[in-house]
Amino acid sequence: AAALLAMNTATNAWQTATPSRIPTSSFVATKSLSSPLTTCQKKRTTLSMVLEAPPKVGGGGMFTATNAESRRVVPENVNGRPVMKVVYVVLESQYQSSMTAAVKKMNEGSSNMAVECVGYLLEELRNDDAFEQFKKDVEEANVFVGSLIFVQELAEKVVEVVQPARENLDAVLVFPSMPEVMRLNKVGSFTMKNLGQSKSVVADFMKKKKQEDGSSFEEGMLKLLRTLPKVLKFLPSDKAADARTFMMSFQYWLGGSPDNLESMLTMVGQDYVGPVKEALDGKEKMVAEEPVLLPDKAIWHPVAPSVVFETADKYFEWYNTEFCPDAGIDPKTAPTVGLILQKSHINTKDDTHYVSLISELESRGSRVVSIYSGGLDFSGPVEEFFYDSTGKPIVDTVINLTGFALVGGPASQDHKKAASVLKKLNRPYLCAVPLVFQSFEEWQSSELGLHPIQVALQVSLPEIDGAIEPIIYAGREGATGRSVPLADRVNLLADRALKWSNLRSKQPEDKKIAITIFSFPPDKGNVGTAAYLDVFDSIKAVLKQLKNEGYDVGDAPMEKEEIMEAVLNDPEARISSPELNVAYRMSTDEYYDLTPYATELEENWGPAPGNLNSDGKNLVVYGKQFGNVFIGVQPSFGYEGDPMRLLFAKSASPHHGFAAYYTYLEKVFKADAVLHFGTHGSLEFMPGKQVGMSGTCYPDRLINSLPSAYLYAANNPSEATIAKRRSYSATVSYLTPPAENAGLYKGLKELKELISSYQGLRDNEGRGPAIVNSIVSTAWSCNLDKDIDLPDLETYDAKNDSLDNRDDIVGQVYAQIMQIESRLLPCGLHTVGVPPTAEEAIATLVNIGQLDRPEDGIEGLPRVIAASVGRDINDVYRGNNQGVLNDVELNTQIVEASRAAVRALVDQSTDSTGRVKEVKDLFDEAASFFGNLIGAKKPWTEAISKAGFPNVEEDRLAPLFQYLEFCLKQVVANNELGGIMELLNGEFLMPAPGGDPIRNPDVLPTGRNMHALDPSAIPTTAAVEVSQDVVRKLLEKLAEENEGAYPESVAFTLWGTDNIKTYGESLAQVLALVGVRPVADSLGRVNKVELIPLEQLGRPRIDVVVSCSGVFRDLFINQMNLMDRGIKMAAEADEPLDQNFVRKHAMEQAEEMNVSLREAAARVFSNAAGSYSANVGLAIENGGWEDETQLQDQFVTRKGFAFNADKPGMMEQQTELFKNALKTVDVTFQNLDSSEISITDVSHYYDSDPTKVVQGLRNDKKKPMSLMADTTTANAQVRTLSETVRLDARTKLLNPKFYEGMLSTGYEGVREIQKRLRNTMGWSATAGEVDNFVFEDANSVFIDDAEMQQRLLDTNPNAFRDMVTTFLEANGRGYWETSEENIDRLQELYAEVEDRIEGI
């Protein structure tokens, strides 16, 4: 038995299970809801008052404000009986009522003992007062009971208290928890002191069994519990008795009812508690009842005459023939909803929340089948009870009400098995969440919403299974700990579940679909905005697919331009009005009648209709209807151009026009589903809780009961996750365009040709120096003097220079232009449903092939090729970066050989149209055997040999090319249209990770339901290693610039998507600078940090100021906790101040601000909960800013909310603390991790850049250095911000390959070019790091060239007008000096474009 629990029981985290008798409920189903929901309804009045003036959550920022006193039971009348004191700690509160009832019954009826009992919820131990009381209680206790203690820092607190008291305790019973807590167990001679430290025979047996039949740990354990006597008879009798007591206690605990818990306490008290044993000497012991258990898996219904049903046939025999007729449900036509329940709630009779939802569904005419499992592997019951005897699925929608992953608890999931089981069932799968750590009132008043630990365990993990819609449907009643249904949430959940099932049953021709497109920034030239997506061409593909599948698309045009014409009125926007096509005018009466929260918007926007999406009288919905398909334009935030609103610390509510749009979709057009088209809109970023929406959160109010499918770029899992959680959207990933080398043009191309000539003639004293002079002259004309130290053009003559110096100059120029040429550049825009061509596949595979993947035993292609000439690729990269001519040339040859090798692989499967439809297997055994016989080399080996590397080892290449062949299959597979249709047809869409397909090819194929990652898994060991390398390069670069001195403080920006793609690299960089290391717990979760000793660190601790994006805050609040704890640990370390800048600055700030050292050490900041960005990007994109001071005020006001690990339930506005921390900053730093999204592609990077903010705050007004880490290739580099801006401009904005690729897509392409120009100006505004030549050269390309000017004007005049405005604004704000002639031309051009747009 000891071995049984030594087999990593702890890895099955939340294994709550197994029940007692359940009395038949006396209520009638059709009326059953009234009582629980009425109770909830009564509470809503007080809750709305709470919302008006929310208290500090949980007292001082804690998530949980309850305390143990409500769980303390003291015997009223001891009557001379010995008193046994029991202290218990549990994760969830459902045991509270059973334990209280059991103890009270014993105190009333037992003659052998009286019981004093007190229980703590694990989360309460964060509170200092509660922790001290817990210590005191344990010191006085006879018995300690713990269960599901799976939060590392709280597990440590339990061990800290119980370990010293263990010898004096009569018994310690710890059920599945962290190994260090399990090792506290003590029942007589039974212990678990070796748990997790030694192997066991049983563990090996279980592991083997799992491999053989796929059974889970819980299933095996439950079987062993049932066969306990057979196991115990092989143990010595005294040990057998103690082990039996422990295992029986576990069974009683799993049983969960008051009777079971009474039996457990009676048995332990009589046999192990000293005073009770003494008092019983010579007396007869009470005989504990056997555990009363229900079957391990079954179907449950609250009004069934049997407690449970063990087959679906028996259940439906009762349900269809007896229950449904009485309830007015027609079993033949009714939809059926499958519910997955947690068995412990049935055991402990804590089931009101389940009863409530069952009743709501049945009152809507739906059938319900509710299943449970003894452990936490629900796949078995799903397979057994959700199909009929013919193997056909019975259910139309499934809701998991446990909040857990389908297979295994939060500590040991099998996501692959879960997704496979769910895909076989092929029904929408919702995972709703009951509040565990918070009471109803605490959650309702919390701005953050759901407790971060629940988000990690009960939202993130089910998403990896493919779950959607994490709706909070039940709360916890503070005093009793019992679950209570949340009336409006239960209603919403029932409505949404049935709308998903409706998509399955409704005929395609009758279904109404609303396609929603975006316009950002709001302007006619920007309608159809989406990251790297050709929106209107993709809508054409979707309309075609809908038509093919029988949907009514009316007279929808099947050409891109005609669709644009219909929505815009005119694709070139050459009309006298800026309005789009008006689909519907909603009167204010209708609006107020249909929109229940409309009056609440008046605080921000005044009475409807207002002046946004309004004609002055009505609210206006823009779009066009074709049959049963509506293409609508989502309104904007509304405050983009308003300097005052942009400055608000918290975001405003949606305006009336925004609310009217979603009211129209749901209640006027009556859409069956909405398809949000592309990355991304505004719905999911509206104010409300971070996760776990309430009925007053705006994303929840707006989407209401509408099923939402959301087409999201595969490389943006963080914002896609926000859409999933906040707007209840099922995401469908789409491919971003493949990245190709940027190539060279104009003077840069000429430079490469000159360098090539020099390599052949370098020793020729006549021609060599002349070529070097031409290289220097051309490099100056290309503005490369900003990047490398070029000799003076007037005085330099290479004839007078040494050969080594000439080589050095040429090497520096060569390295710079190769950096530009090899920069990855996404070309054009993606159309949904169109897989990449063979050429595009080659570009992607080259990038995949360059990375080492040590965890998979795969070496990158450059490494293997370099090794064939006796070089280490890291040394080659180093020489290349330093401009060593031979290394630059070798690196270039390696890059070309890599491309040739990948082309050879892809060519084998390319058809005559230039596409890969079927990937040829080049590793099949027969072909390999035949090839080996005749000594033939693989095509890629041949290609590398021809490229100048004849000694490359084919065997060493094999693992990589097998991997690349698999990746090729993924790259060319495409299910985007299929994925959209699966959701619109009410099917289960397979999950897939989002991220960078180059780092993680599992992102492909696209067209799947995208998820982020398990937040507790980062930073990974690999990410920590990479981060250490980047930090080393960062500090080396800074030492170069500052005479070897270290910076004292670095300002960091952390992004959600970047940390998902890199598995936490930038997070690990923050920790590395401070000198703390992340530590994984015994379950492999990263939730601890420890200080690296200074002698080991070998340098001072660098202070950091971390600005987290709103998305990072939502996804990784536990990692914010890690950083805050690590930084405060450093601040409190008693170390010399010249070796610990964190402590130095915190001490100064504590004195200056008159706060404690710990408070002054706050360094982790973000937006207020439910708010996103500094609004700097919005101001710049819309011209809504007076001067830079406004932008800087916006930054510190909106980003100045501090995270505090001591008060984890809130983000606290600490603007002064934020400013004080920023004024010590020497360096601002960001990471670029992906070729697809660079610093001028999106406004986010400059929106969160604090460079000029820091300059304004520093006492010396010195501008900090701005650096960027570029880890987009295997050759990671740290550059200055100005270098990075130049590199981006040369490879994108000024590069014909980029702008011609964009222009080939038409209307959208002009907008994409203008966006890069506007974002470049953004960097001038926030950092002042844009060289004059960037604007000058852009003006030459797009304005001086009359033919180009005309193309832009004809293709998208609105976007071209914005481009002209941006040039004029850059000059007017002092960012671009140019000739009067250029400004005059731009002003004339502006007037001309205005006339053109107005139709004059």
Side-chain angles (χ1 to χ4, degrees):
L4 168 64
L5 276 131
M7 58 160 124
N8 293 327
T9 303
T11 60
N12 291 273
W14 300 37
Q15 193 201 31
T16 42
T18 342
S20 73
R21 294 184 201 87
I22 300 156
T24 304
S25 300
S26 55
F27 57 85
V28 178
T30 50
K31 296 179 182 173
S32 63
L33 190 61
S34 58
S35 104
L37 287 187
T38 308
T39 311
C40 261
Q41 208 66 44
K42 284 175 187 164
K43 286 188 181 179
R44 291 187 68 183
T45 49
T46 53
L47 283 174
S48 57
M49 288 161 60
V50 168
L51 282 170
E52 284 161 24
K56 281 195 171 183
V57 180
M62 290 301 191
F63 272 92
T64 305
T66 53
N67 64 62
E69 293 314 303
S70 62
R71 279 167 244 110
R72 189 178 295 277
V73 181
V74 179
E76 290 176 14
N77 193 346
V78 174
N79 282 339
R81 293 173 294 174
V83 178
M84 169 175 80
K85 182 166 181 177
V86 178
V87 178
Y88 66 94
V89 175
V90 289
L91 183 74
E92 298 183 80
S93 63
Q94 69 258 43
Y95 276 87
Q96 177 180 339
S97 56
S98 288
M99 189 64 111
T100 301
V103 170
K104 284 182 175 176
K105 189 178 169 194
M106 289 175 75
N107 287 337
E108 286 167 16
S110 170
S111 58
N112 291 346
M113 68 182 96
V115 182
E116 180 186 342
C117 177
V118 61
Y120 290 81
L121 295 184
L122 187 59
E123 193 63 19
E124 289 167 357
L125 299 185
R126 290 186 193 277
N127 181 292
D128 291 341
D129 293 341
F131 185 61
E132 287 307 311
Q133 183 59 49
F134 173 59
K135 266 188 195 169
K136 188 167 175 292
D137 280 325
V138 171
E139 282 165 11
E140 297 167 356
N142 301 98
V143 177
F144 173 78
V145 182
S147 177
L148 302 183
I149 298 169
F150 279 105
V151 181
Q152 180 69 40
E153 62 266 37
L154 299 178
E156 288 168 7
K157 287 192 164 206
V158 171
V159 173
E160 180 191 330
V161 171
V162 179
Q163 184 71 56
R166 185 172 177 270
E167 282 309 306
N168 296 325
L169 284 161
D170 294 307
V172 178
L173 297 169
V174 180
F175 306 123
S177 294
M178 302 285 288
E180 56 266 47
V181 189
M182 295 287 286
R183 285 196 284 271
L184 297 170
N185 264 303
K186 177 181 108 170
V187 183
S189 60
F190 174 83
T191 69
M192 291 189 182
K193 61 185 179 189
N194 297 322
L195 180 72
Q197 298 175 340
S198 62
K199 294 185 73 175
S200 82
V201 179
V202 182
D204 288 344
F205 163 75
M206 291 293 292
K207 192 173 175 185
K208 189 176 174 191
K209 177 161 176 43
K210 182 170 181 178
Q211 287 167 350
E212 283 170 5
D213 66 5
S215 65
S216 72
F217 175 83
E218 303 94 49
E219 287 166 350
M221 182 166 180
L222 289 162
K223 282 172 192 165
L224 272 170
L225 276 172
R226 285 195 298 273
T227 56
L228 191 63
K230 295 173 192 169
V231 177
L232 296 176
K233 71 180 180 187
F234 296 109
L235 295 174
S237 58
D238 57 334
K239 287 191 175 176
D242 295 333
R244 183 181 185 283
T245 299
F246 178 82
M247 296 304 281
M248 291 297 288
S249 300
F250 189 24
Q251 283 192 314
Y252 285 129
W253 185 258
L254 291 176
S257 66
D259 290 348
N260 278 318
L261 297 186
E262 183 188 350
S263 296
M264 178 184 87
L265 295 175
T266 300
M267 176 180 72
V268 172
Q270 291 179 157
D271 291 344
Y272 297 94
V273 174
V276 178
K277 281 168 70 178
E278 286 166 23
L280 280 175
D281 193 22
K283 292 185 188 174
E284 195 176 329
K285 289 182 183 178
M286 284 180 66
V287 179
E289 297 286 331
E290 284 294 308
V292 182
L293 305 173
L294 284 182
D296 293 333
K297 53 187 174 183
I299 301 173
W300 175 81
H301 192 282
V303 299
S306 311
V307 178
V308 294
F309 300 88
E310 293 194 66
T311 69
D313 287 346
K314 283 182 183 171
Y315 173 70
F316 282 111
E317 185 183 327
W318 165 75
Y319 192 69
N320 290 343
T321 58
E322 293 182 41
F323 180 85
C324 287
D326 289 347
I329 298 169
D330 182 351
K332 290 178 185 159
T333 59
T336 303
V337 177
L339 301 180
I340 298 172
L341 314 180
Q342 193 176 334
K343 193 178 178 195
S344 60
H345 282 282
I346 298 168
N347 298 341
T348 56
K349 304 182 180 65
D350 183 22
D351 56 16
T352 322
H353 52 323
Y354 295 161
V355 173
S356 172
L357 180 61
I358 291 168
S359 302
E360 273 300 319
L361 289 165
E362 289 174 342
S363 71
R364 286 161 169 73
S366 171
R367 298 195 309 166
V368 177
V369 51
S370 307
I371 64 170
Y372 68 76
S373 168
L376 273 179
D377 181 351
F378 295 100
S379 60
V382 164
E383 301 245 65
E384 194 169 330
F385 302 130
F386 284 170
Y387 293 86
D388 65 17
S389 53
T390 67
K392 186 181 166 195
I394 294 166
V395 295
D396 297 296
T397 304
V398 176
I399 312 175
N400 184 340
L401 294 179
T402 71
F404 298 127
L406 189 76
V407 181
S412 72
Q413 310 79 42
D414 187 340
H415 296 299
K416 203 171 172 184
K417 179 180 178 184
S420 166
V421 166
L422 291 166
K423 187 61 195 169
K424 180 184 162 194
L425 187 66
N426 205 22
R427 298 293 186 266
Y429 175 61
L430 287 63
C431 195
V433 184
L435 296 172
V436 171
F437 301 122
Q438 299 146 284
S439 70
F440 181 14
E441 291 82 1
E442 286 164 349
W443 162 75
Q444 189 85 335
S445 60
S446 163
E447 290 183 350
L448 289 173
L450 187 61
H451 193 294
I453 290 173
Q454 265 200 276
V455 174
L457 301 181
Q458 292 189 287
V459 177
S460 300
L461 295 176
E463 281 172 350
I464 302 173
D465 290 345
I468 55 174
E469 308 202 2
I471 295 171
I472 308 295
Y473 73 100
R476 184 167 57 72
E477 202 278 306
T480 65
R482 294 187 71 82
S483 299
V484 289
L486 309 184
D488 69 318
R489 307 289 79 204
V490 169
N491 279 319
L492 181 72
L493 184 56
D495 285 345
R496 293 191 64 82
L498 292 176
K499 285 214 175 174
W500 276 108
S501 69
N502 175 57
L503 286 173
R504 169 155 212 89
S505 57
K506 204 167 187 178
Q507 290 303 305
E509 64 270 19
D510 298 329
K511 271 190 260 189
K512 289 189 165 185
I513 306 298
I515 294 174
T516 293
I517 58 177
F518 313 119
S519 175
F520 198 82
D523 180 270
K524 189 152 189 176
N526 292 327
V527 173
T529 318
Y532 286 118
L533 187 67
D534 189 330
V535 169
F536 287 105
D537 211 29
S538 297
I539 287 176
K540 178 183 92 173
V542 170
L543 285 173
K544 224 173 239 182
Q545 188 69 28
L546 286 168
K547 190 174 183 179
N548 290 345
E549 297 205 16
Y551 286 71
D552 175 6
V553 299
D555 57 354
M558 289 297 158
E559 290 306 321
K560 172 182 172 177
E561 289 72 21
E562 290 174 26
I563 298 167
M564 285 169 60
E565 167 82 35
V567 176
L568 297 179
N569 264 359
D570 176 41
E572 282 115 32
R574 298 188 200 121
I575 52 170
S576 56
S577 159
E579 278 207 349
L580 308 170
N581 188 63
V582 176
Y584 190 75
R585 294 182 194 275
M586 184 181 289
S587 71
T588 51
D589 285 348
E590 183 182 19
Y591 167 66
Y592 279 108
D593 187 42
L594 296 179
T595 313
Y597 52 90
T599 53
E600 293 174 48
L601 309 185
E602 292 177 2
E603 182 187 348
N604 283 304
W605 302 99
N611 57 7
L612 295 164
N613 287 70
S614 154
D615 61 9
K617 210 163 51 165
N618 304 294
L619 287 149
V620 173
V621 176
Y622 294 119
K624 180 76 174 172
Q625 186 170 340
F626 303 105
N628 281 338
V629 177
F630 171 67
I631 302 172
V633 182
Q634 185 190 76
S636 66
F637 282 110
Y639 50 77
E640 292 85 355
D642 183 336
M644 282 309 296
R645 288 186 194 277
L646 290 170
L647 190 55
F648 290 161
K650 297 183 182 182
S651 300
S653 66
H655 57 81
H656 294 295
F658 202 102
Y661 178 78
Y662 280 93
T663 296
Y664 168 78
L665 294 188
E666 184 181 21
K667 294 174 181 173
V668 179
F669 175 63
K670 292 187 164 46
D672 291 296
V674 58
L675 171 58
H676 288 98
F677 216 88
T679 307
H680 57 73
S682 309
L683 170 68
E684 61 269 37
F685 297 104
M686 286 293 170
K689 298 182 190 302
Q690 278 182 203
V691 186
M693 303 290 103
S694 74
T696 57
C697 297
Y698 284 108
D700 180 282
R701 284 173 153 179
L702 290 158
I703 198 66
N704 199 29
S705 67
L706 267 179
S708 169
Y710 209 136
L711 201 54
Y712 237 92
N715 67 351
N716 193 346
S718 61
E719 289 178 322
T721 302
I722 302 300
K724 285 170 86 102
R725 294 177 185 177
R726 301 188 87 242
S727 65
Y728 309 141
S729 296
T731 55
V732 185
S733 60
Y734 66 82
L735 204 56
T736 47
E740 298 178 21
N741 285 354
L744 297 172
Y745 52 92
K746 298 180 184 171
L748 297 170
K749 193 172 183 182
E750 190 184 325
L751 270 175
K752 188 174 182 187
E753 289 161 2
L754 285 167
I755 291 167
S756 182
S757 302
Y758 174 74
Q759 285 170 316
L761 297 165
R762 65 186 284 275
D763 297 322
N764 182 322
E765 281 302 319
R767 305 269 313 274
I771 294 170
V772 173
N773 286 339
S774 296
I775 287 170
V776 170
S777 168
T778 310
W780 272 97
S781 70
C782 290
N783 297 291
L784 294 186
D785 58 301
K786 311 280 192 303
D787 301 280
I788 49 180
D789 192 11
L790 287 173
D792 187 275
L793 191 57
E794 302 298 321
T795 59
Y796 180 74
D797 188 341
K799 212 183 286 180
N800 305 324
D801 210 347
S802 69
L803 182 61
D804 282 352
N805 273 357
R806 294 200 297 254
D807 277 359
D808 186 48
I809 291 165
V810 174
Q812 295 282 348
V813 173
Y814 196 8
Q816 193 60 38
I817 64 168
M818 289 315 297
Q819 200 172 173
I820 296 167
E821 183 180 47
S822 61
R823 183 87 168 161
L824 296 173
L825 177 72
C827 287
L829 299 171
H830 176 67
T831 297
V832 166
V834 179
T837 62
E839 281 300 314
E840 291 166 339
I842 290 167
T844 302
L845 291 181
V846 166
N847 300 327
I848 291 172
Q850 71 170 328
L851 298 179
D852 294 320
R853 300 175 197 270
E855 66 281 8
D856 298 314
I858 292 170
E859 293 180 287
L861 199 42
R863 183 171 301 284
V864 180
I865 295 172
S868 74
V869 291
R871 294 293 304 276
D872 181 285
I873 192 63
N874 294 334
D875 293 337
V876 177
Y877 288 151
R878 205 169 291 116
N880 175 81
N881 298 347
Q882 290 164 358
V884 176
L885 187 58
N886 290 338
D887 283 345
V888 178
E889 177 59 22
L890 177 59
N891 189 43
T892 306
Q893 289 169 348
I894 289 170
V895 168
E896 287 167 359
S898 299
R899 182 165 278 269
V902 171
R903 180 177 295 283
L905 169 72
V906 176
D907 280 351
Q908 304 296 310
S909 302
T910 305
D911 66 15
S912 56
T913 65
R915 291 195 176 274
V916 177
K917 297 215 172 85
E918 198 175 327
V919 177
K920 191 174 167 189
D921 184 0
L922 296 170
F923 285 92
D924 71 280
E925 288 182 19
S928 297
F929 177 73
F930 183 69
N932 291 340
L933 274 183
I934 59 171
K937 286 183 178 174
K938 295 283 187 190
W940 45 87
T941 315
E942 200 69 53
I944 295 169
S945 296
K946 284 180 183 167
F949 299 93
N951 297 325
V952 71
E953 295 175 41
E954 184 157 276
D955 288 350
R956 205 166 159 183
L957 290 169
L960 172 65
F961 277 87
Q962 277 182 301
Y963 183 64
L964 290 178
E965 187 177 278
F966 161 75
C967 292
L968 178 59
K969 290 174 185 169
Q970 302 290 91
V971 168
V972 299
N974 187 298
N975 186 45
E976 290 167 2
L977 287 172
I980 291 168
M981 297 315 299
E982 282 176 53
L983 290 177
L984 297 184
N985 292 332
E987 296 173 23
F988 176 78
L989 184 60
M990 282 294 277
D996 182 359
I998 289 163
R999 288 174 186 262
N1000 181 11
D1002 286 344
V1003 167
L1004 305 171
T1006 46
R1008 294 181 291 170
N1009 186 5
M1010 191 175 12
H1011 59 74
L1013 41 71
D1014 175 359
S1016 65
I1018 70 166
T1020 60
T1021 307
V1024 170
E1025 285 172 12
V1026 172
S1027 72
Q1028 286 165 346
D1029 187 43
V1030 170
V1031 165
R1032 180 182 54 76
K1033 287 178 179 174
L1034 168 67
L1035 294 177
E1036 280 172 7
K1037 179 109 181 163
L1038 290 167
E1040 269 173 44
E1041 306 279 336
N1042 295 292
E1043 299 171 2
Y1046 285 104
E1048 290 199 5
S1049 181
V1050 177
F1052 254 88
T1053 306
L1054 293 189
W1055 301 101
T1057 286
D1058 296 10
N1059 278 281
I1060 291 172
K1061 288 177 181 174
T1062 65
Y1063 297 93
E1065 280 177 18
S1066 50
L1067 163 67
Q1069 290 163 10
V1070 171
L1071 299 174
L1073 277 172
V1074 175
V1076 297
R1077 66 168 68 92
V1079 180
D1081 65 21
S1082 47
L1083 302 178
R1085 300 172 311 188
V1086 182
N1087 50 25
K1088 273 174 81 173
V1089 284
E1090 63 185 21
L1091 276 181
I1092 300 168
L1094 279 174
E1095 54 274 20
Q1096 194 180 330
L1097 193 60
R1099 60 165 172 82
R1101 299 190 194 282
I1102 313 293
D1103 198 4
V1104 291
V1105 184
V1106 187
S1107 175
C1108 302
S1109 73
V1111 174
F1112 183 94
R1113 174 206 63 212
D1114 285 4
L1115 299 186
F1116 297 117
I1117 200 158
N1118 290 318
Q1119 277 61 30
M1120 289 169 76
N1121 191 315
L1122 271 188
M1123 286 187 287
D1124 187 63
R1125 278 158 49 203
I1127 292 162
K1128 285 173 177 166
M1129 213 181 266
E1132 291 173 337
D1134 187 8
E1135 294 170 342
L1137 298 187
D1138 64 344
Q1139 291 297 301
N1140 185 336
F1141 299 134
V1142 186
R1143 183 172 177 78
K1144 176 187 171 185
H1145 296 151
M1147 288 175 80
E1148 291 168 357
Q1149 286 149 11
E1151 190 176 340
E1152 184 183 334
M1153 297 183 71
N1154 195 26
V1155 295
S1156 70
L1157 176 71
R1158 200 164 171 81
E1159 285 173 286
R1163 294 292 185 270
V1164 182
F1165 297 88
S1166 186
N1167 295 80
S1171 293
Y1172 300 84
S1173 97
N1175 281 350
V1176 171
L1178 280 177
I1180 288 173
E1181 285 166 345
N1182 294 277
W1185 55 297
E1186 300 296 322
D1187 55 25
E1188 289 178 3
T1189 310
Q1190 180 200 321
L1191 301 180
Q1192 290 157 28
D1193 288 347
Q1194 278 178 213
F1195 179 85
V1196 293
T1197 305
R1198 286 185 60 83
K1199 303 298 287 188
F1201 286 77
F1203 178 85
N1204 184 347
D1206 302 329
K1207 301 177 183 176
M1210 63 197 295
M1211 296 291 298
E1212 204 169 7
Q1213 186 147 23
Q1214 294 277 14
T1215 309
E1216 289 309 308
L1217 198 56
F1218 189 36
K1219 286 180 178 177
N1220 260 345
L1222 284 170
K1223 76 179 185 185
T1224 65
V1225 164
D1226 304 305
V1227 182
T1228 63
F1229 185 75
Q1230 292 200 55
N1231 283 275
L1232 276 180
D1233 65 278
S1234 164
S1235 59
E1236 295 158 322
I1237 302 175
S1238 192
I1239 62 167
T1240 61
D1241 292 328
V1242 291
S1243 61
H1244 303 53
Y1245 287 111
Y1246 71 76
D1247 180 274
S1248 288
D1249 176 69
T1251 304
K1252 284 189 178 176
V1253 175
V1254 170
Q1255 183 180 10
L1257 292 170
R1258 280 180 67 105
N1259 295 332
D1260 59 7
K1261 300 304 173 194
K1262 182 184 169 190
K1263 190 168 153 190
M1265 234 185 131
S1266 293
L1267 296 179
M1268 305 283 296
D1270 182 344
T1271 57
T1272 56
T1273 66
N1275 181 14
Q1277 298 194 48
V1278 174
R1279 301 187 182 93
T1280 64
L1281 175 57
S1282 55
E1283 278 179 289
T1284 310
V1285 171
R1286 287 193 293 273
L1287 184 58
D1288 224 46
R1290 285 169 175 147
T1291 53
K1292 287 186 177 162
L1293 185 63
L1294 306 175
N1295 184 355
K1297 187 170 183 178
F1298 173 78
Y1299 60 71
E1300 289 296 347
M1302 284 300 170
L1303 284 172
S1304 68
T1305 66
Y1307 165 90
E1308 284 101 337
V1310 183
R1311 181 179 67 226
E1312 291 291 326
I1313 296 166
Q1314 151 56 13
K1315 186 166 82 173
R1316 273 36 177 220
L1317 180 67
R1318 175 66 65 167
N1319 289 341
T1320 302
M1321 189 185 76
W1323 283 110
S1324 295
T1326 62
E1329 295 286 349
V1330 183
D1331 294 285
N1332 202 67
F1333 84 84
V1334 173
F1335 292 113
E1336 196 68 27
D1337 287 4
N1339 183 69
S1340 300
V1341 171
F1342 302 112
I1343 304 298
D1344 284 357
D1345 183 333
E1347 188 187 333
M1348 172 63 78
Q1349 195 188 105
Q1350 196 61 44
R1351 283 171 70 191
L1352 298 168
L1353 182 58
D1354 290 344
T1355 311
N1356 189 334
N1358 288 74
F1360 182 57
R1361 176 184 58 187
D1362 291 347
M1363 183 181 283
V1364 174
T1365 306
T1366 305
F1367 279 118
L1368 288 168
E1369 192 179 341
N1371 173 259
R1373 294 188 187 275
Y1375 304 142
W1376 173 39
E1377 288 180 28
T1378 192
S1379 65
E1380 286 297 320
E1381 184 192 346
N1382 276 343
I1383 298 304
D1384 291 344
R1385 184 195 299 117
L1386 284 163
Q1387 286 170 342
E1388 286 166 19
L1389 198 52
Y1390 183 84
E1392 188 186 316
V1393 182
E1394 278 283 274
D1395 290 348
R1396 170 81 170 269
I1397 289 171
E1398 296 298 326
I1400 299 171

